[in-house]
Amino acid sequence: MNTRQKSKIIYSWYGKPTSSDRKLRTLQYKGILIVSERSRTETCIQLGEFILVEGENADQPFVAQLLDLYEDGAQQKRAVVQWFSHITEIPQNKRKLLKREVFPGEVFFDQVSGYDTDIAVETIIKSVVVTPLRLGEELPIKFENEKSFYVKQSWDGKCFKPLSPDTFSKLKAANKKGSGIPNSSNSFISSDLTSPLKQETERVVRSATKRVELEIESKHSASKSSLAKERHSQRMANGIKTPTARKKLQLNSPTRSPKTRLLGCEVLELLDDDCDTVAPLESSATKRKVKFTGILGSPPKIPRAKDKSKSVFDTAENWCSDTMQLSPYNKVKDCSEKPENLKRKYDSIPLTEDQQLSIQSLVLTPRSRRTCVQKTSARIAEQISVLNALNQEDNSLSSSDSSYSSSSEEEDDDDDVLCTPEKETKSSRTFSTPKSSRRSSVQTPAKTLKKTPLPATPKTPRNATPEIPRRNHAAQKPASVLEEARLRLHVSAVPESLPCREEEFQDIYNFVESKLIDGTGGCMYISGVPGTGKTATVHEVIRSLQQAAENDDLPSFQCVEINGMKLTDPHQAYVQILELLTGQKVTATHAAELLAKLFSTPGPKRKTTVLIVDELDLLWTRKQNVMYNLFDWPTQKHSKLIILAIANTMDLPERIMMNRVASRLGLTRMSFQPYTFKQLQQIISSRLNSIKAFEEDAIQLVSRKVAALSGDARRCLDICRRATEICELAGQKRTPEIVRMTHITEAIDEMFSSPYIKAIRSVLLHEQIFLKAILAEFRRAGVEEATVQQVYHQHVALCRIEGTQSPTISELMGICSRLGACRLLLVESSNKYIHMRVRLNISQDDVMYALKDE
Amino acid sequence: MSKRKLKENSGANGECISQVQKILRERFCHSYATGKPFGTEQQHRHLLELLKRTTVHGESNSALIIGARGSGKTALLNHVLKELKEIKQVRENLLEVHLNGLLQTTDKAALKEITRQLQLENVVGDKVFGSFAENLAFLLEALRKGDRTSSCPVLFILDEFDLFVHHKNQTLLYNLFDVSQSAQTPVTVIGLTCRQDILELLEKRVKSRFSHRQIHLMNSFNFKQYIKIFKEQLSLPAEFPDESFAQKWNNNVQHLSEDKTVQDVLQSLFHYTKELRSLQLLLMLAVSNVTVHHPLIAASDLHEASKQYRMDSKANIVHGLSVLEICLIIAMKHLNDVYEGEPFNFQMVYNEFQKFIQRKAHCMYNYEKPVVMKAFEHLVQLELVKPLERPSVRAQREYLLMRLLLDNNQIMDALQVYPNCPTDVKQWAASSLSWL
């Protein structure tokens, strides 16, 4: 689908090559002609114009100025651009440097050095208008209803600066030059309002039919990548006439309010588009006003739902009025809120898909002048795509929810279905405060189904960020030395530096740094037993790299982390990575496609991505395609992906990976050795950091113990923490206590002593006899397994010796199952009754030792 | 003393008795702890301190409470929670999530339950929406957002902890323990289990994240304390309406606790099990004997109850069998003796029975084979006899290998009390060789 679509757009040079470089064998041109075969439209973009460039996030194309066009030696059409940044492209922590609100449509003159300014021509979508403004200058009204960007400040990666006069004038000049082409703002406002009535309606119908066709076409392609969709819709929008579809639209329009609304402005835009190409549609703006007042007098109070057969004229009016309503900036904002409500509407997937498409196509109409609409609708589209993903998974939303959410929804429906053209035109003409005007139209219709005057339903977003409630009382500060020590010794406490892992830190740092500087990709495999600081070290590396990137010592990068244990299924890794990278929420297979595309195509302005894959072994699948893909991406030429894979076993690549996966993982390995006792000692001391809570010997004892057992730093810290508690309990006398050897020993005993001996000593008389009987039976038979019946005979005999009442078989079975539940015994399933086989779960010597001591 | 007065007296008594029954039954069946659990002071303090630190200081922790069934794990936890909630600062600061391994059999179900109990945003009414993956991501996101000082601490209580261990990849446990070991929302994970080998079941990564705090409950009280518990369980509360009756009842309980037979009964129970529940069951049986004419519990009641309580279930079934079936069981017993517990089939049993009929029995009617077969199948249905493998269509029923699920002692005991047992059958049972 995608490739087929791609072939439909032809990029060709405009005019003759202006200059050429013999040495490099490049030819320079001053313009490019984009011909879309499907819609038979031609767009010409010249040097100096502003363009939209395909980005990784389909909803937010990049803005750039075309500086140079050339064909290189390999016959590749290339372009050199000057980037502009959206506010979303600026790192979160730097945004506050701006110290003001960012208006939608505002971009920043990009002076960040790291970006590749050389792009392939095929990524150009269309031209836009970017207007430079002085810093103090307010947003001019005339831009509000246009699809344009404006630039006030420049961004160089560290701070915002006002545009230098030089660039300002340059941009201004570029704009002037662009206005020669008929998409300049002034010329087109008049032109769009001026078409003779008949012509206009015709166009409306035509464009409407286009839309319908688009919807029909794209219903089945809804699952395609959004990039494809974008292109697709863009192409489709350029007009194919299918007269039969007209009726359908009329059927649709009354019920799906947000769509029609958006359609309305869509239509206007398409109109504009047509006006531009078809010259004789010129007329004066006043004419339209006249037209509207004419309608004012007419009494068409029939709800639109009924007028299937009504004249095109009427529908056209409706749309026009709609767009009129949309035109002021605030109103556009207003109407775009509705699809947000729409999010709650879960009735059917196709509906939302329709909407998404219409919205998307709105975003991408070739003449994108309505900046604010574009902005907001891009947001909507994103949300709806999220919703769609959600929808696929739970269609089973309870009725309660839908009824709750539909209140605001219905009201919008009413708004559109029942309002008469008269009212609407009135409201749009009067230009009263936008909100009220829209609301008034809600209440006017005679046939309103809802009498309630606008219930102020709280618009809680459905996918709100989850949060645990806040605590009511502030957490207490540590009062004593021991409490302070305990706080510092908690595993979660982040130390200022990681002692004893300097070498590993340096190795990983060097690896990532070199890849970052080179702008290439690579993998590193890190192994080590649990609790040896693998993840902590990697995080530390990332933190200091980010620090370096902020200080401009390194090109900036983005870091994504996934954890195999935190995924429900290996394939969910794709979903998580994509969501963390672009914020899109899609299904696993789709995410895999998008990611593969993202990493295999040369994206302009793409930063290097550092991907941390924790608990790698959990991503194992039978075909190993997840691992394969993960390690395949960095080998792609343009991926700029660095993977740090973390797992426990050193020989994981050899043991569980197929050859092709292991080979892609490469040989950059690192293994974290378990901590030695000296290192553990150092870790504790550095954490305590001059707090005098532990005896030196105590620290040494605990580190030696843990080093001998596992070398797990977590264990070490846990023991210390427990020791402080024991110490606190022991010294209740308010005297400054210090953790000594005895406390440590007690803590270690508590944590590591085998529970069995204690458990056996605490068992009851008959349970003890039973264990003895088992031992006796084992000795008699010479086999370490016996049936209950055999043990029973021994038990009865032992009871006679002890002089106690012997139990019945039922009681014995009870004892047996109780010991089995504690796993002192291993027992078979109990349906065999007295033939049930019994084994000891501990060594006979242990049992003997435990029982004899009494 | 007129008759009417007596009647009135008994009427008032009746009122008292029904009150007593109600109070005691409620106590035994609902089993809410009447007093502090015995012998767990240290564990109690440990757990209390742990939870207090979580709520007051926002310190994350994890711990396991390990103890045999009926050792009071849940009781301890409930006690500690009750005590904690008396502190105002704690009460308003604690979110509890209770999970049970028997109910939340998969991580998916457990996640939904957690989200529901925490009342996070994707809960509508009582339902939780979203797929497993989304829910997990959502919950982790929620927990990650919090930090030590500002978020409300969450207490996760995992009952039947050992069952969570069997979930795929131990995802839930890993994530819970991971949160408890990282600077996120303060959580405390308390697991309750009866398995002593629980740590060996944890995956190495999960084990590393678990703090290794184990609170062992051993039921370490002695018989003296057991008697005390007995008294406590049976005594009437001070707020009982009829004071004189309560006085009388409590005095009687005191006497009972000093009685030799009662002590013997309790001793034997104590040797057998320390569980509070079995004591309650015994007392329940005794208390149900209390009537208007028999207003106070006697030692004999307890003795009777204990007899009833200790009855062997299989031997009980034997009491209700016909003589023919008893004969078959005896035949099987002899077969077991001769062949040392090897399995037998119906034909062997029938032959053995035939030998007995032909040589010795005078009072037994020689039943036909199908009748004997029927009796044999009845025994199979009662599960006194169990086939070694499933009966297949091809195998003839007569030759299906069987095993007797009764011990010789059980058979002899049952025969002792079997009503109207023919003497030659008894003799035959005593010795398989006597008739030769």
Side-chain angles (χ1 to χ4, degrees):
Chain A
M1 176 96 190
N2 206 3
T3 50
R4 191 172 63 91
Q5 282 298 324
K6 210 145 213 166
S7 68
K8 296 284 180 193
I9 289 190
I10 297 163
Y11 292 87
S12 56
W13 295 123
Y14 176 76
K16 294 256 181 282
T18 48
S19 62
S20 60
D21 192 328
R22 277 276 168 80
K23 244 183 219 160
L24 294 167
R25 286 193 294 160
T26 57
L27 298 166
Q28 288 185 319
Y29 295 87
K30 64 174 190 222
I32 187 151
L33 216 55
I34 303 173
V35 183
S36 172
E37 262 192 7
R38 181 116 196 199
S39 56
R40 293 180 212 101
T41 52
E42 274 187 16
T43 324
C44 176
I45 300 170
Q46 298 189 1
L47 289 187
E49 271 189 66
F50 300 95
I51 50 172
L52 285 183
V53 180
E54 277 181 52
E56 51 204 90
N57 192 343
D59 303 323
Q60 186 116 12
F62 297 125
V63 184
Q65 187 184 13
L66 200 56
L67 294 184
D68 197 6
L69 286 162
Y70 69 93
E71 189 164 288
D72 61 11
Q75 301 280 302
Q76 294 286 330
K77 297 187 175 67
R78 309 289 301 176
V80 177
V81 292
Q82 161 66 48
W83 291 113
F84 291 86
S85 296
H86 289 286
I87 188 70
T88 49
E89 290 166 43
I90 290 164
Q92 199 83 42
N93 52 350
K94 302 280 189 173
R95 285 183 202 170
K96 56 179 181 286
L97 292 175
L98 195 59
K99 294 193 189 80
R100 66 177 170 89
E101 283 288 298
V102 177
F103 296 100
E106 176 163 356
V107 289
F108 299 94
F109 189 76
D110 203 321
Q111 292 179 317
V112 182
S113 52
Y115 296 140
D116 188 7
T117 55
D118 191 43
I119 61 166
V121 162
E122 282 77 17
T123 53
I124 297 173
I125 299 171
K126 62 190 168 189
S127 64
V128 286
V129 175
V130 177
T131 316
L133 292 175
R134 303 255 172 235
L135 193 54
E137 206 172 336
E138 271 307 300
L139 185 64
I141 298 297
K142 66 168 182 178
F143 287 115
E144 284 183 355
N145 54 3
E146 271 177 43
K147 190 161 193 170
S148 74
F149 297 93
Y150 59 98
V151 55
K152 271 184 177 177
Q153 282 171 303
S154 68
W155 164 248
D156 65 353
K158 267 195 230 133
C159 55
F160 295 96
K161 282 185 195 140
L163 291 176
S164 66
D166 192 27
T167 32
F168 189 85
S169 57
K170 242 195 259 170
L171 290 173
K172 201 94 185 172
N175 227 24
K176 284 256 168 63
K177 203 165 79 184
S179 69
I181 301 158
N183 63 352
S184 150
S185 50
N186 293 344
S187 67
F188 114 92
I189 277 197
S190 55
S191 73
D192 91 76
L193 295 172
T194 52
S195 41
L197 208 62
K198 208 142 192 196
Q199 289 266 18
E200 186 184 11
T201 49
E202 196 192 310
R203 303 234 160 263
V204 167
V205 171
R206 190 193 298 167
S207 46
T209 53
K210 274 180 238 158
R211 183 69 36 236
V212 168
E213 197 221 31
L214 166 67
E215 278 166 28
I216 295 161
E217 266 241 0
S218 49
K219 247 177 204 172
H220 53 82
S221 68
S223 62
K224 292 288 179 289
S225 79
S226 55
L227 206 64
K229 241 187 278 178
E230 171 193 339
R231 280 293 182 137
H232 174 70
S233 52
Q234 176 198 340
R235 276 150 210 153
M236 295 297 284
N238 289 332
I240 286 158
K241 302 173 202 177
T242 40
T244 46
R246 180 180 130 197
K247 205 162 186 179
K248 250 183 207 155
L249 173 75
Q250 282 178 330
L251 266 166
N252 284 347
S253 57
T255 47
R256 295 173 192 176
S257 68
K259 195 187 75 191
T260 42
R261 198 168 293 258
L262 291 162
L263 264 177
C265 68
E266 171 71 31
V267 164
L268 186 61
E269 261 165 42
L270 287 161
L271 266 173
D272 301 341
D273 202 19
D274 289 332
C275 289
D276 293 335
T277 46
V278 188
L281 295 180
E282 299 275 326
S283 178
S284 74
T286 48
K287 226 176 186 174
R288 166 166 279 201
K289 255 188 186 163
V290 169
K291 183 192 84 191
F292 275 123
T293 42
I295 300 154
L296 231 166
S298 70
K301 288 224 163 166
I302 315 126
R304 264 202 273 162
K306 300 259 166 70
D307 62 4
K308 280 178 208 168
S309 58
K310 258 205 142 192
S311 67
V312 186
F313 177 78
D314 248 325
T315 30
E317 271 169 17
N318 282 338
W319 287 329
C320 291
S321 53
D322 263 348
T323 33
M324 283 303 282
Q325 215 183 328
L326 278 168
S327 46
Y329 163 68
N330 279 335
K331 287 187 178 176
V332 174
K333 210 40 201 227
D334 207 1
C335 106
S336 64
E337 268 168 27
K338 261 170 262 165
E340 262 181 43
N341 303 341
L342 212 156
K343 276 192 304 171
R344 303 189 189 157
K345 194 161 183 173
Y346 277 72
D347 332 9
S348 63
I349 304 169
L351 176 61
T352 43
E353 272 172 7
D354 279 356
Q355 282 156 350
Q356 182 186 9
L357 280 163
S358 57
I359 290 158
Q360 282 226 343
S361 51
L362 162 68
V363 178
L364 300 156
T365 38
R367 213 151 296 265
S368 47
R369 280 163 309 186
R370 219 166 292 266
T371 325
C372 28
V373 173
Q374 190 203 14
K375 267 264 177 183
T376 46
S377 54
R379 225 178 61 221
I380 295 156
E382 195 178 301
Q383 276 162 342
I384 288 180
S385 69
V386 168
L387 170 83
N388 269 353
L390 258 170
N391 239 346
Q392 279 160 13
E393 264 150 344
D394 55 0
N395 279 322
S396 59
L397 200 82
S398 70
S399 58
S400 69
D401 183 51
S402 56
S403 68
Y404 158 71
S405 59
S406 63
S407 58
S408 58
E409 183 60 32
E410 263 171 44
E411 146 206 320
D412 290 337
D413 282 344
D414 292 348
D415 184 2
D416 221 281
V417 174
L418 299 171
C419 61
T420 60
E422 177 198 331
K423 275 294 173 192
E424 266 198 309
T425 43
K426 203 162 141 197
S427 65
S428 55
R429 198 194 41 175
T430 47
F431 274 100
S432 57
T433 49
K435 263 226 161 97
S436 64
S437 79
R438 194 173 68 83
R439 294 310 187 197
S440 70
S441 68
V442 179
Q443 289 160 341
T444 39
K447 293 184 183 174
T448 338
L449 299 168
K450 274 173 76 122
K451 293 272 158 49
T452 47
L454 267 181
T457 44
K459 286 173 185 172
T460 45
R462 261 205 70 80
N463 44 2
T465 48
E467 204 182 348
I468 299 288
R470 305 190 78 70
R471 55 188 300 149
N472 294 324
H473 298 271
Q476 265 181 22
K477 290 270 173 293
S480 69
V481 176
L482 283 176
E483 282 178 12
E484 174 73 30
R486 197 152 54 224
L487 194 67
R488 283 166 184 247
L489 286 172
H490 198 284
V491 184
S492 70
V494 182
E496 298 88 45
S497 70
L498 284 174
C500 314
R501 286 294 180 221
E502 289 85 6
E503 236 173 82
E504 285 85 355
F505 175 87
Q506 205 53 48
D507 281 358
I508 301 172
Y509 188 92
N510 289 345
F511 174 80
V512 180
E513 190 190 32
S514 65
K515 298 283 179 199
L516 274 179
I517 291 171
D518 297 350
T520 54
C523 298
M524 185 175 205
Y525 177 72
I526 299 164
S527 63
V529 292
T532 48
K534 302 178 295 294
T535 312
T537 308
V538 169
H539 282 165
E540 190 71 18
V541 167
I542 297 298
R543 214 174 310 147
S544 46
L545 282 170
Q546 266 162 351
Q547 198 75 43
E550 264 174 43
N551 298 340
D552 251 356
D553 300 334
L554 281 175
S556 68
F557 64 96
Q558 57 188 145
C559 178
V560 173
E561 188 185 358
I562 59 167
N563 185 325
M565 272 291 207
K566 294 182 181 173
L567 302 171
T568 52
D569 176 85
H571 296 282
Q572 286 293 324
Y574 299 129
V575 181
Q576 290 237 324
I577 295 171
L578 189 73
E579 198 191 333
L580 289 168
L581 273 177
T582 64
Q584 288 167 283
K585 264 190 179 174
V586 291
T587 57
T589 43
H590 191 186
E593 279 169 33
L594 287 182
L595 282 173
K597 188 165 176 198
L598 183 67
F599 289 123
S600 60
T601 50
K605 263 178 120 175
R606 249 229 342 264
K607 293 181 201 165
T608 306
T609 309
V610 178
L611 177 63
I612 304 170
V613 186
D614 214 341
E615 315 292 2
L616 176 73
D617 49 333
L618 274 264
L619 293 184
W620 186 88
T621 52
R622 224 155 57 79
K623 282 186 168 175
Q624 306 196 354
N625 41 8
V626 178
M627 281 190 185
Y628 178 86
N629 278 338
L630 274 183
F631 298 126
D632 193 37
W633 293 331
T635 61
Q636 309 268 342
K637 193 178 158 205
H638 305 288
S639 62
K640 287 188 166 185
L641 179 67
I642 303 165
I643 290 186
L644 300 173
I646 304 174
N648 288 131
T649 38
M650 192 151 62
D651 58 345
L652 185 83
E654 285 74 32
R655 213 155 39 83
I656 69 166
M657 286 185 196
M658 291 177 191
N659 286 337
R660 55 192 166 108
V661 180
S663 126
R664 276 168 176 78
L665 174 59
L667 290 170
T668 322
R669 309 265 174 95
M670 157 160 297
S671 80
F672 279 61
Q673 297 304 321
Y675 288 112
T676 63
F677 87 91
K678 277 208 174 118
Q679 289 173 323
L680 288 172
Q681 215 172 332
Q682 203 184 332
I683 289 170
I684 300 174
S685 330
S686 79
R687 282 211 178 217
L688 283 175
N689 193 16
S690 79
I691 288 186
K692 204 70 191 104
F694 279 73
E695 267 183 358
E696 272 308 308
D697 288 348
I699 296 179
Q700 189 166 355
L701 174 69
V702 71
S703 20
R704 276 186 190 274
K705 268 275 189 214
V706 173
L709 271 170
S710 60
D712 186 337
R714 290 197 189 102
R715 200 69 323 102
C716 192
L717 295 172
D718 280 334
I719 293 172
C720 289
R721 225 148 48 84
R722 179 70 191 129
T724 59
E725 284 165 26
I726 292 169
C727 174
E728 207 171 48
L729 277 180
Q732 291 286 12
K733 298 168 287 285
R734 292 282 128 212
T735 46
E737 217 18 83
I738 173 164
V739 180
R740 292 175 203 289
M741 299 268 267
T742 48
H743 303 131
I744 296 279
T745 324
E746 199 179 324
I748 290 175
D749 279 350
E750 212 180 271
M751 286 183 173
F752 295 107
S753 70
S754 162
Y756 292 117
I757 306 282
K758 248 165 130 191
I760 292 172
R761 287 203 183 144
S762 76
V763 297
L764 301 162
L765 181 69
H766 273 295
E767 289 171 344
Q768 283 182 8
I769 296 175
F770 188 81
L771 287 172
K772 279 181 192 163
I774 289 176
L775 287 182
E777 181 58 32
F778 283 178
R779 210 172 303 131
R780 187 191 70 84
V783 192
E784 297 230 334
E785 195 176 75
T787 63
V788 173
Q789 193 174 17
Q790 291 164 333
V791 178
Y792 171 70
H793 291 294
Q794 297 283 351
H795 193 122
V796 171
L798 279 174
C799 281
R800 262 184 223 132
I801 296 168
E802 301 245 340
T804 52
Q805 202 181 358
S806 56
T808 59
I809 295 237
S810 284
E811 282 174 318
L812 206 72
M813 295 298 291
I815 290 172
C816 188
S817 68
R818 237 179 300 141
L819 292 176
C822 299
R823 285 301 188 281
L824 289 174
L825 297 181
L826 295 175
V827 292
E828 274 186 314
S829 67
S830 61
N831 63 353
K832 287 195 176 166
Y833 201 53
I834 53 172
H835 300 295
M836 183 165 76
R837 278 195 291 263
V838 177
R839 262 186 298 161
L840 280 176
N841 196 25
I842 20 172
S843 75
Q844 294 189 31
D845 295 337
D846 280 356
V847 179
M848 237 125 60
Y849 168 75
L851 292 178
K852 253 186 200 143
D853 244 15
E854 303 236 338
Chain B
M1 183 126 11
S2 66
K3 233 177 190 172
R4 188 185 295 154
K5 200 163 185 190
L6 200 77
K7 220 177 202 172
E8 258 176 27
N9 208 359
S10 77
N13 242 349
E15 189 79 359
C16 282
I17 297 292
S18 66
Q19 276 282 340
V20 168
Q21 296 265 20
K22 188 166 167 265
I23 289 172
L24 293 182
R25 273 184 198 152
E26 224 161 59
R27 188 182 292 168
F28 297 150
C29 294
H30 293 178
S31 76
Y32 55 84
T34 41
K36 258 185 136 180
F38 280 93
T40 58
E41 285 75 26
Q42 203 195 336
Q43 287 91 336
H44 185 267
R45 202 168 53 183
H46 186 175
L47 191 61
L48 185 67
E49 284 294 313
L50 193 77
L51 295 184
K52 220 190 246 170
R53 271 202 307 279
T54 303
T55 48
V56 177
H57 294 283
E59 185 182 307
S60 293
N61 269 315
S62 49
L64 280 177
I65 303 175
I66 305 171
R69 294 223 179 274
S71 57
K73 302 179 289 290
T74 313
L76 173 72
L77 186 66
N78 286 342
H79 245 276
V80 168
L81 282 179
K82 204 172 131 198
E83 199 169 314
L84 265 180
K85 281 183 188 158
E86 280 158 18
I87 311 170
K88 181 165 173 286
Q89 202 190 3
V90 172
R91 190 173 51 234
E92 294 171 3
N93 254 351
L94 187 64
L95 294 171
E96 283 176 56
V97 176
H98 291 263
L99 301 175
N100 191 318
L102 292 169
L103 296 176
Q104 281 79 41
T105 48
T106 60
D107 280 347
K108 188 177 176 183
L111 276 177
K112 286 202 169 182
E113 187 62 20
I114 292 172
T115 332
R116 196 183 67 74
Q117 290 190 19
L118 285 178
Q119 305 211 314
L120 295 173
E121 284 86 346
N122 59 345
V123 176
V124 175
D126 247 5
K127 284 186 185 159
V128 181
F129 298 102
S131 66
F132 181 27
E134 278 169 359
N135 278 333
L136 181 66
F138 184 85
L139 186 70
L140 290 177
E141 180 69 26
L143 291 172
R144 198 180 308 128
K145 281 272 170 63
D147 66 341
R148 191 181 69 82
T149 46
S150 66
S151 302
C152 198
V154 187
L155 176 61
F156 288 94
I157 294 163
L158 309 181
D159 214 343
E160 308 291 346
F161 183 82
D162 44 322
L163 295 177
F164 285 99
V165 165
H166 300 302
H167 295 181
K168 189 189 160 216
N169 289 344
Q170 303 188 352
T171 307
L172 181 75
L173 295 183
Y174 177 91
N175 285 311
L176 287 183
F177 285 143
D178 195 47
V179 171
S180 84
Q181 296 251 318
S182 50
Q184 302 177 0
T185 306
V187 298
T188 286
V189 185
I190 305 277
L192 303 165
T193 182
C194 61
R195 287 184 69 161
Q196 301 284 348
D197 61 344
I198 185 72
L199 281 186
E200 292 154 36
L201 299 177
L202 293 176
E203 209 240 9
K204 58 181 186 301
R205 287 168 281 207
V206 180
K207 194 175 169 183
S208 167
R209 280 165 175 80
F210 170 56
S211 75
H212 280 64
R213 276 164 207 275
Q214 301 163 62
I215 299 171
H216 288 279
L217 288 179
M218 295 294 181
N219 257 343
S220 50
F221 49 83
N222 54 26
F223 186 63
K224 241 186 198 156
Q225 282 165 319
Y226 194 67
I227 295 280
K228 225 173 175 180
I229 296 171
F230 164 76
K231 276 194 284 186
E232 220 168 75
Q233 287 284 327
L234 217 50
S235 307
L236 288 177
E239 58 267 24
F240 192 73
D242 191 339
E243 258 179 56
S244 64
F245 184 82
Q247 188 75 36
K248 234 183 349 181
W249 177 275
N250 287 348
N251 280 341
N252 181 47
V253 169
Q254 180 64 34
H255 278 297
L256 276 179
S257 69
E258 286 153 13
D259 190 284
K260 185 78 183 75
T261 43
V262 172
Q263 282 199 348
D264 279 348
V265 165
L266 290 179
Q267 182 87 49
S268 69
L269 186 68
F270 180 74
H271 282 323
Y272 168 60
T273 169
K274 273 177 176 176
E275 270 182 54
L276 215 58
R277 278 195 203 108
S278 52
L279 177 66
Q280 284 172 340
L281 204 64
L282 182 82
L283 295 179
M284 185 76 164
L285 290 172
V287 166
S288 55
N289 272 343
V290 172
T291 57
V292 180
H293 304 293
H294 181 68
L296 297 174
I297 293 182
S300 58
D301 288 334
L302 276 170
H303 189 71
E304 204 55 38
S306 117
K307 245 192 189 166
Q308 216 175 332
Y309 181 77
R310 302 189 48 175
M311 197 93 75
D312 190 79
S313 56
K314 289 269 176 186
N316 255 355
I317 296 174
V318 176
H319 292 174
L321 295 178
S322 68
V323 178
L324 173 61
E325 285 158 346
I326 291 273
C327 286
L328 289 181
I329 285 180
I330 292 168
M332 289 180 224
K333 171 183 172 270
H334 290 322
L335 283 175
N336 266 347
D337 288 345
V338 173
Y339 298 109
E340 286 179 335
E342 288 298 306
F344 49 81
N345 59 31
F346 170 72
Q347 195 57 50
M348 290 161 80
V349 176
Y350 184 70
N351 290 344
E352 195 73 21
F353 179 62
Q354 282 291 316
K355 273 189 227 164
F356 166 63
I357 294 288
Q358 282 161 10
R359 309 221 181 144
K360 183 84 179 176
H362 307 294
C363 57
M364 278 297 282
Y365 177 75
N366 192 0
Y367 294 103
E368 286 168 41
K369 202 176 174 185
V371 178
V372 181
M373 185 74 194
K374 194 82 193 161
F376 187 77
E377 280 186 344
H378 187 223
L379 290 179
V380 174
Q381 276 165 3
L382 287 174
E383 286 207 337
L384 292 173
V385 186
K386 201 168 161 54
L388 274 190
E389 61 237 23
R390 262 166 206 284
S392 63
V393 192
R394 275 184 299 148
Q396 277 181 288
R397 281 183 299 175
E398 288 92 328
Y399 302 106
L400 213 58
L401 285 178
M402 299 282 187
R403 236 187 234 282
L404 183 63
L405 293 188
L406 286 171
D407 191 64
N408 286 355
N409 290 5
Q410 280 175 301
I411 297 169
M412 298 314 287
D413 288 348
L415 272 179
Q416 291 295 321
V417 288
Y418 190 80
N420 307 324
C421 186
T423 29
D424 41 358
V425 172
K426 262 188 188 167
Q427 277 173 5
W428 179 45
S431 162
S432 62
L433 302 169
S434 63
W435 46 268
L436 276 178

